[in-house]
């Protein structure tokens, strides 16, 4: 009896073991045919650079770097190959693409250290990733990387794979490949390098920006010592070579080109645009692209986004250390070597001025930390206020700052160390000329190195109240005026009216103020007034109307929720839309490339932008544009954008935008010479916080940029167009010469004089809902 039953548990156990293997095998079978072709590997050719320039002619970006020197594997000195293997993959010639022993070794090391200190990527895996795959950290990407690694190993010999790696790996200073790097850093060919020098180069692939000897000779030496130690352990060099290499001084070639401003997002946009025109020639012909980007504007925009995001992040408190690095109990900067600390920080991503550091000492009054690069920072006094809670033993361990905690440090304007953190929120800013659409600045996100998603062109977000000016503009074409009185009172709609579910809209503050003039409603961003306006002109009319501004009508279903910006836009679309108001009613298309030249200076392509008032299509009456500008100036002077008055100018106009639950925050505004769009939100939409609005989160970014962009620019005045009149009106929107209030009207829409109108007469363009006014 017992004998007859014992196989069942065994069979179940075997099934549990076999099923995952079968599933994995099936997944591999399905994914393998879709893997990229290896032709790009077998027909690999060097690429000379695509260079990108600012409007002033300064180099701001480069792709397809010309600093390449292809070498055959037989030409690579043995000591160079050994240094590479020691640093990156010492079992390269033994494994089949995935080093299972290395995986287990790294897993054990990471488990025992309590953090991620070792990786297990082989040289073949790096080739697969660098040639074909993104750096997103997902299981599917990693799975495809492993499959592609096997495919490469099956198709190419080990020497061919290593040759690809040696020729194409990025090593900093715009150098691709070890032969090019030898020239860049040491001014020598590979066969003239010393053991000490090959160790420097072999240490670069791990983190070329970190261990770049031009940027930091100290960090480069720390990495070099690690590589030399590995070479010695693997018997690639003997004791004498090891000691001599450790002592040899390094003479580094200097004079490399550094870009003056951060332009990663726009440079990538240019690269994609040029590639669409010239395909693979983009990287082989030495094209020069001159953009519309103004250096001072770009710098101002970049710094504005960084400050805006970090200020927001600081308002919402410290989330705790970024990670933990195991430092033996009782260790300090004296007993725990800089080499070990640099190695511990090796895998930590860069964050521009957010410098990663390891805590060495901690108390309620002092934090001492080792910064990447070797500096020891001390944080005391008020600089500890931000992290006081994290210094308490009452908080969870993963939120507490202890010895070994990985934190971010930043120097303030007084060069005092402050504790910061990598923000989770994103923001973007773009500015341009309303005259012809030339883009002056573009920052697509907080940090391109951590997130390449360009929020200016790729992020479809709800614009919230920043979309109301377009609805108001449509209403002006239907006979509304800024003096039209509309009721700010509750409304309830059923699912058929909204296209979704029953809806009882509210104003942001939850209050209602009754009948008010349309200008006043925009100043105070009254949602119920906007809905009544849209109800009067009809959603379908508004949908057709906004498409003239360049918005995608498919993103705006013809429902009343459109009044509150419930559709989807990109910041670049908002730039084009607001430019129409700023330039008097003309549609200009934002553009970033002025011209493209070949290596000899011949112009291959030149922009021919439509110019407002000359060749651009006029999509709204100049009187309409003037009226909207006038109301948007009052939004800045008296309404939700009043914070911008701190700039001390009277010629600014704009509108805040805050979506439901404060998921998106906007400020879209302009001066007659420049339009700017600022946005903030999370990539995975969630609330920015109950008290966060467009005026508090996005407007400071816009202000920071405009303060610098308009420095020295004289005050501008919008001139009232022909066929308009300025009249004195009373609170009811009627002509009243005794009132100090002035309003602007189309000649044909002048309100009645000295008559007491009923609500329906005051709201003549909206008779269809006069009952809701009463």
């Amino acid at each position: 009896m017992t004998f007859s039953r014992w196989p069942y548990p065994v069979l179940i156990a075997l099934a549990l073991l076999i099923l995952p293997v079968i599933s994995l095998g099936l997944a591999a079978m399905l994914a393998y045919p879709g893997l990229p072709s290896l032709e790009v590997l077998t027909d690999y050719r060097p690429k000379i650079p695509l260079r990108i320039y600012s409007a002033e002619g300064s180099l701001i970006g480069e792709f397809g770097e010309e600093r390449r020197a292809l070498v055959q594997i037989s030409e690579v000195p043995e000591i160079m190959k050994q240094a590479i293997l020691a640093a990156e993959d010492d079992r390269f010639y033994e494994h089949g693409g995935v080093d299972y022993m290395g995986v287990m070794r790294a897993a054990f090391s990471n488990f025992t250290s309590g953090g991620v200190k070792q990786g297990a990527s082989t040289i073949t895996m790096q080739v697969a990733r660098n040639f074909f795959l993104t750096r997103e950290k997902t299981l599917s990407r990693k799975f495809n990387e492993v499959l592609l690694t096997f495919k490469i190993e099956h198709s190419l010999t080990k020497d061919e794979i290593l040759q690809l790696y040696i020729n194409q790996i990025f090593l900093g200073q715009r150098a691709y490949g070890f032969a090019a790097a030898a020239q860049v850093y040491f001014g020598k060919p590979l066969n003239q390098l010393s053991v000490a020098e090959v160790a420097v180069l072999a240490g670069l692939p791990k983190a070329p920006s970190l261990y770049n000897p031009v940027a930091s000779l100290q960090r480069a030496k720390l990495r070099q010592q690690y590589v030399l130690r590995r070479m010695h352990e693997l018997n690639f060099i003997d004791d004498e070579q090891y000691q001599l290499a450790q002592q040899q001084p390094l003479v580094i070639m200097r004079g490399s080109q550094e870009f003056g401003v951060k332009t990663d997002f726009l440079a990538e946009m240019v690269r994609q645009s040029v590639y669409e025109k010239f395909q693979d020639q983009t990287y082989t012909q030495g094209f020069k692209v001159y953009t519309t980007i103004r250096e001072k504007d770009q710098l101002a925009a970049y710094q504005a986004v960084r400050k805006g995001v970090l200020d927001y992040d600081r308002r919402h408190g410290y989330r705790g250390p970024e990670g933990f690095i195991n430092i033996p109990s009782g260790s300090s900067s004296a007993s725990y070597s800089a080499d070990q600390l640099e190695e511990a920080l090796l895998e930590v991503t860069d964050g521009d001025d957010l410098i990663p550091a390891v805590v060495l000492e901690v108390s309620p009054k002092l934090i001492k930390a080792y910064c990447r690069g070797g500096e020891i920072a001390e944080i005391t006094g008020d600089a500890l206020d931000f992290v006081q809670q994290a210094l308490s033993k009452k908080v969870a361990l993963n939120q507490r700052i202890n010895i070994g905690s990985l934190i971010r440090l930043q120097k303030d304007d007084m060069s005092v160390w402050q504790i910061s953190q990598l923000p989770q929120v994103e923001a973007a800013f773009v500015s341009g000329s309303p005259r012809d659409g030339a883009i002056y600045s573009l920052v697509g996100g907080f940090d391109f190195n951590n997130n390449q998603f360009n929020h200016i062109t790729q992020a479809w977000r709800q614009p919230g109240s920043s979309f109301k000016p377009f609805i108001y503009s449509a209403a002006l074409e239907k006979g509304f005026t800024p003096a039209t009185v509309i009721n700010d009172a509750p409304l309830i709609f059923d699912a058929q009216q909204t296209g979704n579910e029953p809806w009882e809209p509210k104003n942001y503050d939850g209050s209602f103020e009754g009948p008010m003039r349309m200008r006043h409603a925009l100043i105070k961003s009254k949602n119920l007034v906007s809905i009544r306006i849209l109800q009067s002109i009809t959603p379908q009319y508004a949908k057709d109307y906004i498409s003239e501004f360049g918005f995608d009508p498919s993103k705006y279903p013809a429902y009343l929720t459109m009044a509150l910006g419930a559709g989807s836009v990109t910041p670049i679309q908002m730039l084009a839309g607001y430019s129409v108001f700023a330039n008097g009613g003309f549609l200009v298309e934002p553009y970033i490339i002025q011209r493209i030249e070949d290596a000899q200076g011949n112009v291959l392509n030149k922009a021919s932008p439509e110019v407002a008032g000359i060749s651009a299509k006029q999509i709204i009456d100049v009187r309409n544009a003037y009226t909207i500008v006038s109301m948007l100036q009052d939004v800045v002077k008296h309404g939700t954008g009043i914070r911008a008055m701190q700039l001390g100018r009277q010629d600014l106009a704009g509108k805040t935008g805050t979506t439901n639950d404060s998921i998106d925050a906007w400020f879209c505004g302009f001066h007659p010479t420049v339009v700017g769009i600022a946005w903030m939100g999370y990539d995975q939409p969630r609330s920015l916080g109950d008290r966060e609005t467009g005026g508090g989160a996005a407007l400071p970014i816009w202000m920071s940029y405009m303060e610098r962009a308009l420095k020295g620019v004289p005050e501008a005045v919008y001139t009232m167009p022909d066929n308009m009149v300025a009249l004195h009106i009373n609170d009811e929107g009627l002509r009243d010469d005794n009132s100090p209030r002035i309003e602007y009207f189309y000649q044909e829409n002048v309100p009645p004089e000295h008559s007491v109108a009923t609500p329906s007469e005051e709201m003549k363009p909206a008779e269809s809902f006069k009952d809701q006014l009463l």
Side-chain angles (χ1 to χ4, degrees):
M1 193 75 171
T2 303
F3 179 79
S4 63
R5 290 184 177 181
W6 76 265
Y8 293 105
V10 175
L11 290 174
I12 292 172
L14 287 173
L16 291 174
L17 291 172
I18 293 172
L19 281 175
V21 176
I22 294 174
S23 300
L24 195 63
L26 287 173
M29 290 174 63
L30 292 172
Y32 195 85
L35 292 176
S37 168
L38 298 186
E39 288 182 4
V40 68
L41 295 181
T42 56
D43 190 30
Y44 179 65
R45 299 178 183 178
K47 302 168 183 177
I48 58 176
L50 162 69
R51 290 193 171 96
I52 302 168
Y53 298 88
S54 68
E56 296 85 355
S58 299
L59 185 66
I60 59 174
E62 200 167 63
F63 293 92
E65 178 54 52
E66 67 179 352
R67 285 181 173 171
R68 298 178 184 268
L70 287 184
V71 293
Q72 297 296 317
I73 192 67
S74 59
E75 299 170 347
V76 180
E78 191 67 20
I79 194 66
M80 183 75 256
K81 289 188 285 186
Q82 290 173 333
I84 294 170
L85 297 179
E88 294 295 318
D89 186 1
D90 61 275
R91 298 186 68 253
F92 172 71
Y93 282 97
E94 300 170 29
H95 60 66
V98 176
D99 186 0
Y100 301 105
M101 290 180 62
V103 170
M104 290 186 289
R105 183 173 62 247
F108 178 77
S109 174
N110 295 336
F111 177 77
T112 55
S113 66
V116 178
K117 296 182 66 178
Q118 286 191 20
S121 289
T122 64
I123 284 176
T124 313
M125 292 170 75
Q126 291 183 56
V127 169
R129 182 165 59 244
N130 290 336
F131 270 100
F132 299 109
L133 302 170
T134 66
R135 291 186 175 271
E136 62 175 330
K137 296 179 179 180
T138 63
L139 288 175
S140 61
R141 203 275 306 157
K142 194 66 177 178
F143 182 66
N144 285 337
E145 179 183 307
V146 172
L147 290 182
L148 193 53
T149 295
F150 290 143
K151 185 174 183 178
I152 292 172
E153 287 275 349
H154 179 72
S155 304
L156 303 177
T157 67
K158 285 288 188 179
D159 280 351
E160 287 173 334
I161 296 169
L162 185 58
Q163 179 176 300
L164 282 169
Y165 182 82
I166 287 172
N167 280 323
Q168 67 88 26
I169 194 70
F170 176 63
L171 299 173
Q173 296 301 110
R174 309 194 321 275
Y176 288 78
F178 285 90
Q183 290 290 343
V184 169
Y185 292 114
F186 301 112
K188 302 176 182 179
L190 282 176
N191 58 11
Q192 293 181 16
L193 295 179
S194 66
V195 173
E197 290 167 342
V198 300
V200 171
L201 297 186
L204 289 172
K206 197 75 171 177
S209 61
L210 175 61
Y211 295 121
N212 181 334
V214 172
S216 174
L217 186 58
Q218 180 185 4
R219 290 196 296 262
K221 286 183 176 180
L222 289 173
R223 180 63 175 167
Q224 176 212 37
Q225 295 301 313
Y226 166 77
V227 176
L228 289 172
R229 188 167 62 249
R230 290 287 298 137
M231 293 175 72
H232 186 244
E233 291 170 355
L234 295 168
N235 296 318
F236 291 154
I237 57 176
D238 57 30
D239 293 343
E240 182 180 358
Q241 289 175 302
Y242 182 43
Q243 292 173 4
L244 287 174
Q246 286 181 308
Q247 297 168 6
Q248 180 184 331
L250 295 174
V251 180
I252 305 299
M253 301 288 291
R254 297 186 179 272
S256 61
Q257 173 71 50
E258 293 289 338
F259 304 138
V261 292
K262 288 279 189 177
T263 58
D264 304 284
F265 288 98
L266 69 92
E268 175 59 17
M269 285 176 61
V270 170
R271 184 197 68 78
Q272 292 179 15
S273 179
V274 175
Y275 186 81
E276 287 178 6
K277 290 182 176 68
F278 300 102
Q279 296 296 304
D280 290 340
Q281 291 185 7
T282 299
Y283 309 111
T284 61
Q285 301 302 308
F287 295 139
K288 292 177 285 188
V289 182
Y290 292 87
T291 70
T292 59
I293 294 298
R294 304 192 303 199
E295 288 181 75
K296 290 183 179 179
D297 289 66
Q298 181 65 22
L299 179 61
Y302 177 77
Q303 292 178 345
V305 169
R306 297 281 295 191
K307 185 177 188 303
V309 169
L310 292 174
D311 285 350
Y312 165 88
D313 197 63
R314 206 165 188 85
R315 289 197 298 273
H316 291 267
Y318 189 60
R319 294 183 295 274
E322 195 172 317
F324 184 78
I325 293 169
N326 187 34
I327 294 180
S329 178
S331 294
S332 66
S333 57
S335 59
Y336 204 67
S337 73
D339 192 3
Q340 291 172 301
L341 290 168
E342 286 291 343
E343 284 187 42
L345 292 169
L346 186 62
E347 299 294 335
V348 182
T349 57
D350 289 330
D352 198 2
D353 58 342
L354 298 180
I355 300 169
V358 181
V359 173
L360 302 175
E361 296 180 25
V362 59
S363 73
K365 295 184 178 181
L366 169 70
I367 291 177
K368 186 179 288 187
Y370 177 92
C371 301
R372 175 184 284 174
E375 185 174 354
I376 303 296
E378 292 189 2
I379 303 94
T380 60
D382 294 342
L384 291 174
D385 291 347
F386 181 52
V387 297
Q388 269 302 317
Q389 189 173 354
L391 298 177
S392 169
K393 294 185 178 180
K394 295 180 180 180
V395 300
L397 190 61
N398 65 338
Q399 297 176 350
R400 191 185 311 165
I401 296 178
N402 289 311
I403 292 177
S405 291
L406 175 62
I407 61 175
R408 295 278 173 167
L409 298 180
Q410 184 183 36
K411 284 187 176 179
D412 62 16
D413 295 337
M414 304 297 293
S415 294
V416 176
W417 285 112
Q418 301 284 341
I419 296 179
S420 188
Q421 59 190 346
L422 287 179
Q424 296 175 343
V425 75
E426 279 289 354
F429 183 85
V430 62
S431 68
S433 166
R435 181 174 179 270
D436 65 357
I439 293 176
Y440 293 151
S441 69
L442 188 150
V443 181
F446 180 77
D447 188 343
F448 184 83
N449 291 325
N450 288 319
N451 184 358
Q452 289 81 45
F453 186 75
N454 190 336
H455 298 85
I456 294 299
T457 59
Q458 296 176 293
W460 289 90
R461 309 292 295 220
Q462 289 192 0
S465 294
S466 66
F467 201 73
K468 287 177 181 175
F470 303 102
I471 303 300
Y472 278 56
S473 176
L476 293 177
E477 294 304 301
K478 285 290 191 178
F480 281 71
T481 75
T484 301
V485 176
I486 306 143
N487 199 12
D488 177 33
L491 286 170
I492 300 176
F493 301 96
D494 59 33
Q496 184 176 0
Q497 290 173 292
T498 65
N500 190 359
E501 57 186 29
W503 181 41
E504 185 177 0
K506 306 287 186 183
N507 288 320
Y508 177 77
D509 60 5
S511 66
F512 304 96
E513 298 184 33
M516 63 174 59
R517 290 171 293 110
M518 192 165 87
R519 175 183 291 271
H520 191 60
L522 186 61
I523 290 172
K524 303 196 76 172
S525 198
K526 290 293 186 176
N527 291 338
L528 275 299
V529 171
S530 296
I531 293 168
R532 282 188 164 90
I533 291 173
L534 182 59
Q535 193 177 35
S536 174
I537 67 176
T538 74
Q540 186 58 52
Y541 173 79
K543 177 178 180 176
D544 296 338
Y545 186 84
I546 65 168
S547 66
E548 292 294 315
F549 288 80
F551 296 112
D552 184 349
S554 68
K555 302 288 186 179
Y556 275 88
Y559 296 113
L560 293 174
T561 50
M562 186 194 307
L564 310 186
S568 297
V569 298
T570 62
I572 198 79
Q573 288 181 332
M574 295 296 272
L575 178 68
Y578 271 77
S579 292
V580 174
F581 299 135
N583 67 26
F586 298 89
L587 182 65
V588 293
E589 184 177 351
Y591 73 101
I592 202 166
I593 296 177
Q594 287 185 339
R595 69 183 186 277
I596 303 173
E597 297 180 357
D598 63 17
Q600 288 72 44
N602 301 310
V603 177
L604 303 177
N605 186 278
K606 188 174 183 178
S608 300
E610 303 290 339
V611 179
I614 300 177
S615 56
K617 177 184 178 183
Q618 184 163 11
I619 62 170
I620 62 173
D621 192 319
V622 63
R623 299 176 300 172
N624 185 310
Y626 178 83
T627 305
I628 294 297
V629 169
S630 170
M631 290 194 285
L632 292 178
Q633 284 181 311
D634 275 356
V635 171
V636 170
K637 292 176 182 178
H638 311 295
T640 56
I642 194 169
R643 189 173 184 173
M645 291 303 293
Q646 296 173 14
L647 297 179
R649 302 187 69 100
Q650 301 296 317
D651 55 359
L652 302 176
K655 184 69 185 75
T656 56
T658 310
T659 61
N660 284 346
D661 299 321
S662 297
I663 288 175
D664 293 277
W666 296 78
F667 188 81
C668 307
F670 52 88
H671 174 272
T673 62
V674 60
V675 181
I677 308 296
W679 166 86
M680 183 180 289
Y682 288 95
D683 280 343
Q684 298 298 321
R686 61 185 174 94
S687 177
L688 289 165
D690 292 340
R691 297 184 179 181
E692 296 292 348
T693 63
L699 177 55
I701 296 174
W702 186 89
M703 289 173 58
S704 178
Y705 167 81
M706 285 293 179
E707 182 177 21
R708 297 173 65 176
L710 297 178
K711 187 175 182 179
V713 177
E715 289 271 342
V717 177
Y718 284 92
T719 303
M720 188 172 68
D722 295 336
N723 297 317
M724 287 193 76
V725 293
L727 301 173
H728 292 271
I729 63 167
N730 60 20
D731 289 341
E732 287 73 38
L734 303 176
R735 291 173 61 184
D736 185 349
D737 292 338
N738 296 318
S739 172
R741 182 177 292 110
I742 295 178
E743 190 54 88
Y744 305 99
F745 299 92
Y746 293 8
Q747 190 74 55
E748 63 269 26
N749 288 340
V750 172
E753 182 178 7
H754 300 303
S755 64
V756 180
T758 65
S760 60
E761 288 173 336
E762 293 171 351
M763 192 70 188
K764 189 173 182 181
E767 291 180 348
S768 61
F769 57 97
K770 64 181 180 180
D771 291 341
Q772 295 174 339
L773 278 168
L774 300 176

